[in-house]
Amino acid sequence: MTVSKTAEKSSEKPADTAKGRKDAADGPGEALQLGELSEQLGYVLKRAQLKVFENFLRCMASLQLTPAQFSVLLLVEKNPGRNQTEIASTLGILRPNFVAMLDNLESRDLCARIRSTNDRRSHILVLTDKDKAVLARAKKLVATKHEARLNELLGPSNREALLGMLSKIANEF
C-alpha cells in the first residue's frame, strides 16, 4: 500500500515541474548567465574553436579526417622530407599523441614514415599516392564548405583582421 500511496501523491502534484522546477533529465531550462566569463578572451576563443572544429568534422565526415590530421598532411605535403619531430613541434602536438596519430594515418595508408638517411633514429614523413588523392579532396571540402562558411559569416575584411589578431596571439603571447 505504501507504494500506491506514493504513486497517488506523485500523481496528485504533476504541476511541480510545470511551475519551473526541472530535473536534470527534463532538459535545460533558461540559459545560464555567463557574467564575466563572456568577456574572458580565453573562454570565447575556446568556444569559437569548438564550433569551428565541429563544423570541420561535419565537412570531413566522408574522409574521416580531424583538424590535426589534416594539418599534418598539409605540412607533410608542403615540407617533403622533414622529420616527424619537426612536424609535431610545429603543430604543438605532444610526441605520444603524434605517434598515435601517425599510426592511425599509416594504418589507413594516408602517410608513411621512412627512416632518415641522415639520422637512423629519425623518421621522415611522406605522402602516399592514396594520401595525395584524399588530401586533394579534403582541400576542396575545406575550401568549398568549411572556409566558405567562415568567410560568409565574417566577411573578407573581418576574416583577415581575425587571422591577423589570432596570429599575433599565437606568435607573441
Side-chain angles (χ1 to χ4, degrees), residues 27-43:
E30 289 184 35
L32 292 176
Q33 298 300 310
L34 297 178
E36 295 173 29
L37 193 55
S38 65
E39 296 175 15
Q40 297 290 318
L41 189 55
Y43 174 78

Side-chain angles (χ1 to χ4, degrees), residues 53-68:
F53 276 25
E54 285 172 11
N55 182 261
F56 183 94
L57 292 171
R58 273 192 305 277
C59 292
M60 289 294 175
S62 64
L63 299 178
Q64 296 179 329
L65 285 177
T66 66

Side-chain angles (χ1 to χ4, degrees), residues 35-103:
E36 295 173 29
L37 193 55
S38 65
E39 296 175 15
Q40 297 290 318
L41 189 55
Y43 174 78
V44 176
L45 279 170
K46 180 64 176 179
R47 297 299 303 167
Q49 184 247 351
L50 289 171
K51 291 292 189 179
V52 169
F53 276 25
E54 285 172 11
N55 182 261
F56 183 94
L57 292 171
R58 273 192 305 277
C59 292
M60 289 294 175
S62 64
L63 299 178
Q64 296 179 329
L65 285 177
T66 66
Q69 291 169 334
F70 180 68
S71 299
V72 167
L73 298 177
L74 285 175
L75 279 182
V76 172
E77 178 189 47
K78 289 293 182 196
N79 301 279
R82 300 304 284 265
N83 70 43
Q84 65 188 52
T85 303
E86 293 173 298
I87 300 292
S89 176
T90 298
L91 294 173
I93 302 173
L94 298 175
R95 180 173 166 70
N97 298 342
F98 193 67
V99 169
M101 183 190 311
L102 288 180
D103 289 344

Side-chain angles (χ1 to χ4, degrees), residues 132-151:
K132 291 174 185 174
V134 168
L135 187 55
R137 287 178 47 210
K139 285 179 177 181
K140 187 173 182 179
L141 283 172
V142 166
T144 60
K145 291 187 175 189
H146 181 65
E147 288 291 324
R149 182 161 184 219
L150 287 166
N151 291 340

Side-chain angles (χ1 to χ4, degrees), residues 151-170:
N151 291 340
E152 182 181 317
L153 177 68
L154 297 173
S157 61
N158 285 337
R159 180 185 188 281
E160 288 303 315
L162 182 58
L163 275 173
M165 288 183 276
L166 293 174
S167 293
K168 185 173 182 72
I169 292 170

